[in-house]
Amino acid sequence: MKDLLSAPFMAELIRTATNMYEHGWDERNGGNISVLLDEAEVGEYLDLNRVIRTVPIGFCAPELSGKLFLVTGTGKYFKNVQYDPAKNLGVVRLAQNGTQAELLWGFSDGGRVTSEFPAHMMSHVSRLAVDPKNRVVMHCHPSNLLAMTFVHDLDERAFTRTLWRMCTECMMVFPDGVNVLPWMLCGTNEIGLATAKKMQTARLVVWAQHGIYGAGRDLDETFGLIETAEKAAEVYLKIAHLPIKNTITDAQLHAIEAHFGVTARAGYLE
Ligand code: 13P
Ligand code: ZN
């Protein structure tokens, strides 16, 4: 068996969590990540028949039964992931028709998967139905997006259009737009279901007065999605209170669509 800490997926997760912390997106235990792993690849590092413990997950995700995830632990600090991955991270397999999580590695202090496991797993189900190559669900608390939910209309079309206009790159990076949930109690199956429903039509879902979820094919892509939306929110907050002299027009957004071969969310452009 090879050393799990040397696995590329492990190195990438550690690097990403550290980077997210350094961006100020994950204060204290804020944020969580889950990555769908390839069973054959994990088998090079772990005995897949050795289950450390099994925990009920409080919901049912039969679509994910047998699937393996690398996931951050509840109450764990992203800033510490790089120093003690085995304590802060776990490899789990969904079992018993997707009602239980079997711990195969990690959470060495007796820890558990993130409290947002319902939103993560349900979002994986939604995104895999749209894109079978989706692997990552990421949640964090970027300040500018969070701040924007206090002062901007939460209508998804309006919210998306504002972000698209803040930087030219936005249309290329998230043409599917940003969905928005009103404030809801976090860490529940209810917010998990609501997030997963929103994930059917966009890879970014803002949780008003809380943070954002992103989904993608790999950690870089998902990080980049959130990074781009957060940058746009930062520009918005810098200009929102100033007299606006120039903007990116809908005609220009259409030109980006045509030139870069992306398709804006239907009905979002004039
Ligand atoms: P966990 O520590 O349970 O992952 O929760 C952090 C968080 O961001 C809750 O929304
Ligand atoms: Zn959170």
Side-chain angles (χ1 to χ4, degrees), residues 181-233:
L181 280 182
W183 187 93
M184 290 177 73
L185 192 61
C186 60
T188 61
N189 287 351
E190 288 70 29
I191 202 169
L193 280 166
T195 306
K197 192 157 194 303
K198 295 289 185 190
M199 280 279 178
Q200 290 169 356
T201 49
R203 293 163 298 151
L204 286 168
V205 180
V206 165
W207 282 6
Q209 294 86 50
H210 184 133
I212 191 163
Y213 270 74
R217 292 181 171 186
D218 58 41
L219 284 161
D220 261 2
E221 180 191 309
T222 315
F223 182 98
L225 260 180
I226 294 177
E227 186 181 30
T228 308
E230 169 63 0
K231 173 71 167 270

Side-chain angles (χ1 to χ4, degrees), residues 3 14 27 36-37 86 107-108 145 189 193 202 222 227 259:
D3 176 10
I14 293 169
E27 75 291 342
L36 174 58
L37 301 174
F107 301 141
S108 59
L145 278 163
N189 287 351
L193 280 166
T222 315
E227 186 181 30
H259 187 74

Side-chain angles (χ1 to χ4, degrees), residues 74-86:
T74 186
K76 302 299 191 227
Y77 294 22
F78 273 29
K79 79 182 174 73
N80 294 337
V81 168
Q82 62 176 320
Y83 304 111
D84 197 347

